[in-house]
Amino acid sequence: MINRLHSSCSQERPFAPAPQGGSHCLGCGGPSGWVLPLPHCMTLLGLFHVYPPYPAEGSTLPRVPSQESPATGWARSCPGDVTPSALPSSPLALPRGTPPCHAPGHLPGPSFGVTPGQARALHLPIGMSPRPGTLAHPPEREGGSESSRAQYPLPRGTPRRQHPRRGLGPPEAPMEKDIDGCQDVAKTVPSAMLGTEGTDSQLDDFVGANPDYNEEEEEQKYFRRKRLGVIKNVVAASLAGTLTYSVYLGLLQMQLILHYDETYREVKYSNIRLEDIDRKVLMGINVTPVAALLYTPILIRFFGTKWAMFLAVGIYALFVSSNYWERYYTLVPSAVAIGMVIVPLWASMGTYIMRMAQKYYEYINYKEEQERERQRAPRDACNTYIIIFQTIFYSCFHLSFVCAQMPMVFFLNNYLYQLNHTLFAVKHCGTLSHGTLPGFNKTVLQSLPRSVSLIIVESALMAAAFLAMLVVLVLCGAAYRPMEEIDMRSIGWGNIFQLPFKHMRDYRLRHLFPLFIYSGFEVLFVCTGFSLNYGVCALGLERLAYLLMAYGFSASVCSSLALCMLRLRRRIPLLAGAFIHAVLLVTLFCWAPEPRYLAQAPLLYSIAALWGTGSALNKTGISILLGMLYKKKERQDFIFTIYHWWQALAIFTVYLWSGLPMKAKLSIMLLTLVVAVGTYLWMEQKVAWNMEVRLPRIPRPRHKTRGYRYLEDNSDETGSDGDGDKEDDDRHPTEATRENELPKEDGEQLG
């Protein structure tokens, strides 16, 4: 190390020898009594910048003549001889307490631009000055001047060891580092401050604000990413719902057709009563949702909106997997599980889309939110996004009726008999029929599909169901922040159980019950009554898939008609859909198509497409209407639970009336539609009159903080009417709360 430093530094200008009798000063090591000044060595190693002391303006530093060693040309920086063996092996590894020193005539100053604290941490002597001969001591000032000597006097007996803070001279200036590692020339800045103020300024430059940082632009980028995330969540939830129901409806339809064939049952399952199993499967799917009102809000609050969706989609995938081994103990339990999660799935889907609309409104109007400082938002502020997002969801979902026909189109139609065989004994169709297509042939398969082919189809459906689970898990973000989820659960499980029933006291919901029931009637009627008693009876079983595809395409496209709510009154789409269905119900009531008559196909496809238009306006309009009426996030899961529970009751009723004549079914549906339209218009009239709304209080969440846990207090308290927080922000300000009556909300009039 010493030799390398000697060879690299000896090429410089020779140093003056230090006088005898002094103490050793920090150096790199050399021959006895000769040391290389440490600042020069450190710059060779590239470890430090050298900051020599800089004299004041118009003054020079005093300097004594230096001596050179004739042998080496090294400068003695301190009196006293020290052999190389006595020097430390590393220039930084000096023992603690090594006294700093100064060459004669040199002014004490900070150690090479290193603060005293840094010097002590590195065991460097404090106060050493750089070697003479650099631009810190310019050649023209070597002799010094009288003014400089007067300004920096060195009285006799001045000790050469001085505290760095008491050293004379102005602060040091930074010095540029040479490319080769040696700093022979230092560029000084007169105004540089390298003491405490200099360190603070350097720290401010390092951690201070970037001058190119634009806060407003970064804020816009942040909320733009947030809005794109919301759109991604809506599309992902819509795609997951489409995949889930595509798999469910397609598999159920294929399963019922295969099990209906006598040859298939006898050859493959001779000792199993598949017809009885199918009846139990349909019973489990249609009857179990009747009890969903008791547990759906608890399930959503316990798991959260996103995880309730994920659980429901996973159970639909379980139903698909049970078809690999068709037995009573696999099909029936999975069908019961499907029935249990139908209402939670739809309630969580509706709540999720509503929350995304509200979030998007918050992100698009973030400046208004900041300026408003938690003041009341303008009425109907986020209705635009509710309309748009519900339209996107139902436009995607109705495509599930199209995708569900893929197993029929690409697989099962290759094994079906033509209509002359399957409809040979059918005498009456349409309004003249009784039950579910009487006289239909018990044999519909002209050849049995191979088991391997069935496994391939079921595996493709299973892959789609698994993809739906991944979409919900990975692409769907949380509907609420974690603490909001905790607050929504912390009102108590008893209150959560009671609130769906208490919400039914709201006159707006009571007036919408017939509309909810009709919504359940019409979707199941088009899949069973119309498809079988009209479509299959006239066109054959091989045309069933195309009939339902016409319905699905029309419903998907016409869901976009709900966007007219952005310009028109909100009642117009609902009334338009109801009018279309009323005309079609009267037509179907009066028309009985001829069996096995293909010339009626255009009329049947037109009816299916028009029915899809009415369904799209009906379902999209109801969801938008509920979103407009109930914007409080604490109520949305209860409201959508009630809506889909009434739909489930209607589907159960359709399951029970399957044996009735077609005219009776059509009459019940037409009567329900008329009552639904009348009660809806009466509800809108009451809302226009600002009639008092009766809604239950939602108790204030009460928590205890114990350690890092966020615990709830009085979680099983059930007095939701007495103690709780104030009612919704959109409550009418002039309303009074009567005795034994709950707070009231004003109806938000858009129409």
Side-chain angles (χ1 to χ4, degrees):
M1 171 69 74
I2 295 173
N3 294 332
R4 286 197 300 270
L5 292 174
H6 171 64
S7 61
S8 63
C9 298
S10 61
Q11 299 173 4
E12 304 291 333
R13 190 169 50 182
F15 305 111
Q20 300 291 333
S23 61
H24 177 261
C25 185
L26 179 63
C28 296
S32 175
W34 302 94
V35 292
L36 180 67
L38 181 60
H40 188 68
C41 302
M42 291 301 100
T43 55
L44 287 177
L45 296 177
L47 299 178
F48 295 94
H49 289 282
V50 178
Y51 303 101
Y54 189 79
E57 291 293 334
S59 64
T60 59
L61 289 175
R63 180 182 177 190
V64 299
S66 62
Q67 302 176 4
E68 290 184 358
S69 171
T72 62
W74 288 20
R76 278 183 196 251
S77 59
C78 296
D81 294 337
V82 180
T83 61
S85 60
L87 292 174
S89 59
S90 171
L92 299 181
L94 290 178
R96 293 182 180 271
T98 301
C101 59
H102 307 282
H106 284 214
L107 291 178
S111 300
F112 335 123
V114 183
T115 61
Q118 294 172 336
R120 282 192 294 271
L122 297 173
H123 310 304
L124 297 178
I126 301 174
M128 171 169 284
S129 63
R131 66 180 175 86
T134 62
L135 286 186
H137 305 278
E140 65 273 15
R141 298 185 181 182
E142 285 187 0
S145 63
E146 294 297 328
S147 61
S148 64
R149 291 192 181 97
Q151 188 175 357
Y152 300 103
L154 289 175
R156 292 183 181 181
T158 299
R160 295 306 175 189
R161 178 176 180 178
Q162 296 184 8
H163 195 276
R165 295 186 182 273
R166 299 176 184 174
L168 300 178
E172 298 171 344
M175 179 177 185
E176 290 187 357
K177 184 176 180 180
D178 189 39
I179 298 177
D180 297 331
C182 295
Q183 293 178 347
D184 293 328
V185 180
K187 297 181 179 179
T188 59
V189 181
S191 60
M193 301 291 291
L194 290 176
T196 305
E197 297 178 358
T199 305
D200 293 342
S201 63
Q202 291 178 1
L203 183 62
D204 291 340
D205 292 340
F206 182 73
V207 300
N210 187 354
D212 298 332
Y213 178 77
N214 189 333
E215 182 178 359
E216 184 176 357
E217 182 180 355
E218 294 298 326
E219 191 177 39
Q220 290 176 355
K221 291 180 180 178
Y222 172 77
F223 283 101
R224 188 184 304 121
R225 290 193 298 268
K226 287 289 188 180
R227 293 194 297 270
L228 291 176
V230 169
I231 295 174
K232 179 260 298 178
N233 292 339
V234 173
V235 174
S238 305
L239 179 62
T242 302
L243 288 174
T244 301
Y245 262 76
S246 299
V247 171
Y248 164 65
L249 294 176
L251 181 62
L252 186 63
Q253 178 180 330
M254 186 178 69
Q255 175 184 334
L256 292 176
I257 292 175
L258 289 175
H259 293 178
Y260 178 82
D261 188 80
E262 284 184 341
T263 307
Y264 182 86
R265 295 198 307 267
E266 292 297 328
V267 172
K268 298 199 68 172
Y269 303 100
S270 57
N271 56 344
I272 299 177
R273 300 181 59 185
L274 282 181
E275 281 186 311
D276 182 61
I277 292 177
D278 287 345
R279 283 194 295 269
K280 297 292 179 56
V281 166
L282 293 177
M283 182 182 297
I285 293 175
N286 292 287
V287 176
T288 310
V290 174
L293 189 64
L294 303 176
Y295 59 82
T296 297
I298 297 176
L299 192 68
I300 295 177
R301 291 292 174 99
F302 182 79
F303 287 102
T305 304
K306 173 188 173 179
W307 294 106
M309 290 169 51
F310 179 75
L311 175 66
V313 173
I315 290 180
Y316 275 86
L318 175 66
F319 175 75
V320 178
S321 64
S322 66
N323 282 267
Y324 282 105
W325 186 253
E326 296 176 314
R327 296 294 186 273
Y328 183 89
Y329 52 83
T330 59
L331 295 178
V332 176
S334 63
V336 172
I338 285 281
M340 291 182 65
V341 299
I342 285 178
V343 176
L345 174 64
W346 279 100
S348 58
M349 284 276 190
T351 305
Y352 191 81
I353 300 300
M354 269 292 301
R355 283 296 300 149
M356 291 302 108
Q358 292 173 338
K359 278 189 172 185
Y360 195 86
Y361 168 76
E362 295 170 4
Y363 296 148
I364 203 73
N365 299 288
Y366 64 94
K367 289 187 177 180
E368 296 179 9
E369 293 293 333
Q370 292 173 356
E371 294 172 0
R372 195 180 301 118
E373 293 181 356
R374 296 186 178 180
Q375 295 179 7
R376 178 178 174 178
R379 181 178 296 179
D380 307 330
C382 61
N383 285 350
T384 299
Y385 307 108
I386 293 174
I387 295 170
I388 294 173
F389 286 178
Q390 291 288 357
T391 300
I392 292 174
F393 174 76
Y394 279 101
S395 295
C396 293
F397 170 75
H398 282 120
L399 288 176
S400 62
F401 290 93
V402 179
C403 300
Q405 307 308 315
M406 296 300 107
M408 280 281 294
V409 172
F410 295 105
F411 174 70
L412 200 57
N413 278 353
N414 301 325
Y415 300 94
L416 295 178
Y417 277 114
Q418 297 299 315
L419 73 163
N420 292 326
H421 175 81
T422 54
L423 300 175
F424 178 77
V426 174
K427 304 299 182 185
H428 303 287
C429 292
T431 187
L432 301 177
S433 62
H434 185 91
T436 303
L437 199 58
F440 197 68
N441 203 319
K442 295 292 185 180
T443 304
V444 296
L445 299 175
Q446 59 182 350
S447 62
L448 300 182
R450 300 180 59 186
S451 298
V452 176
S453 301
L454 288 173
I455 291 175
I456 292 174
V457 173
E458 291 170 357
S459 299
L461 296 176
M462 186 65 197
F466 187 70
L467 178 61
M469 294 177 62
L470 288 180
V471 167
V472 175
L473 180 64
V474 177
L475 297 182
C476 290
Y480 300 92
R481 293 189 294 270
M483 299 311 299
E484 288 180 329
E485 295 275 9
I486 292 175
D487 288 342
M488 293 174 69
R489 288 194 293 266
S490 299
I491 66 175
W493 300 111
N495 290 322
I496 294 174
F497 177 81
Q498 297 176 23
L499 282 172
F501 301 96
K502 291 183 177 180
H503 275 86
M504 292 187 186
R505 294 181 290 190
D506 180 8
Y507 75 85
R508 294 175 295 181
L509 277 180
R510 291 201 307 268
H511 284 73
L512 291 175
F513 287 165
L515 196 58
F516 298 161
I517 293 174
Y518 177 76
S519 179
F521 282 167
E522 59 95 4
V523 67
L524 197 59
F525 172 77
V526 75
C527 295
T528 56
F530 172 75
S531 298
L532 296 177
N533 293 72
Y534 286 87
V536 173
C537 186
L539 306 178
L541 188 60
E542 61 273 17
R543 302 294 180 93
L544 173 64
Y546 302 106
L547 201 65
L548 292 176
M549 288 175 69
Y551 166 80
F553 273 125
S554 175
S556 177
V557 172
C558 294
S559 293
S560 61
L561 295 177
L563 294 175
C564 67
M565 286 187 178
L566 296 173
R567 299 296 180 185
L568 303 176
R569 296 171 181 263
R570 68 186 179 194
R571 67 188 70 180
I572 291 179
L574 280 170
L575 295 179
F579 177 76
I580 293 173
H581 277 184
V583 172
L584 293 178
L585 286 172
V586 173
T587 302
L588 294 177
F589 187 87
C590 302
W591 179 50
E594 293 291 331
R596 304 179 300 278
Y597 188 52
L598 296 179
Q600 303 167 110
L603 181 58
L604 288 169
Y605 285 128
S606 300
I607 292 175
L610 288 174
W611 196 277
T613 301
S615 295
L617 294 174
N618 175 276
K619 294 196 174 300
T620 311
I622 292 176
S623 296
I624 292 173
L625 177 64
L626 293 178
M628 291 178 176
L629 294 177
Y630 302 94
K631 295 186 179 68
K632 293 293 290 184
K633 63 186 179 183
E634 296 88 355
R635 304 190 183 278
Q636 289 167 6
D637 52 343
F638 300 120
I639 299 303
F640 282 97
T641 296
I642 294 170
Y643 166 39
H644 293 291
W645 180 71
W646 280 100
Q647 267 194 335
L649 286 182
I651 292 173
F652 173 64
T653 305
V654 174
Y655 168 75
L656 293 179
W657 78 22
S658 58
L660 292 178
M662 181 56 64
K663 286 186 177 180
K665 298 177 184 178
L666 294 173
S667 300
I668 294 174
M669 290 186 62
L670 186 59
L671 178 63
T672 305
L673 179 60
V674 171
V675 173
V677 171
T679 55
Y680 168 67
L681 292 176
W682 181 236
M683 185 271 294
E684 290 284 5
Q685 190 65 35
K686 286 186 176 181
V687 170
W689 293 340
N690 291 327
M691 186 171 290
E692 295 177 347
V693 176
R694 188 182 184 188
L695 280 175
R697 286 183 183 269
I698 297 180
R700 184 189 305 275
R702 298 180 180 180
H703 307 287
K704 282 184 178 179
T705 304
R706 295 175 181 173
Y708 63 91
R709 302 185 64 188
Y710 193 42
L711 302 178
E712 57 190 70
D713 187 19
N714 296 334
S715 60
D716 56 349
E717 185 178 359
T718 59
S720 63
D721 290 341
D723 45 352
D725 58 353
K726 292 184 178 181
E727 192 43 52
D728 302 288
D729 294 336
D730 54 353
R731 185 177 53 182
H732 199 284
T734 61
E735 290 174 359
T737 305
R738 299 184 226 160
E739 188 176 349
N740 297 329
E741 193 167 317
L742 296 172
K744 302 170 174 67
E745 288 184 347
D746 66 334
E748 294 151 351
Q749 180 184 0
L750 292 182

